[in-house]
Amino acid sequence: GLYLSNVSLDLQNATFSNNSHSLGAIYLANGSLIGQDITMNNNTATSPGGAIYISSASLSLTRGQFNAN
């Protein structure tokens, strides 16, 4: 998974599968994430999250798939 803080990231054609973390496969704080063709499969979190957890950040997704997160 990814843990991002105070960054801007552009992700394309990425898959996150079977990640297990306290906040999800992608954690984003105080930044921005632009995603295109992102697939999230079977990701789990012990706290709120699962696939993606954001805090004081912006998120833009185009053509994403979320399955069993």
Side-chain angles (χ1 to χ4, degrees):
L2 293 175
Y3 179 93
L4 307 167
S5 182
N6 298 308
V7 298
S8 295
L9 180 65
D10 185 354
L11 269 179
Q12 296 182 12
N13 303 311
T15 299
F16 294 85
S17 297
N18 303 311
N19 291 283
S20 180
H21 190 272
S22 61
L23 295 171
I26 297 176
Y27 170 81
L28 174 64
N30 303 311
S32 66
L33 172 63
I34 299 171
Q36 184 175 344
D37 298 311
I38 305 299
T39 301
M40 307 296 284
N41 294 315
N42 301 312
N43 298 290
T44 61
T46 56
S47 296
I52 300 173
Y53 181 89
I54 62 172
S55 175
S56 300
S58 64
L59 174 67
S60 174
L61 295 176
T62 304
R63 294 187 304 270
Q65 294 184 25
F66 291 78
N67 305 300
N69 293 283

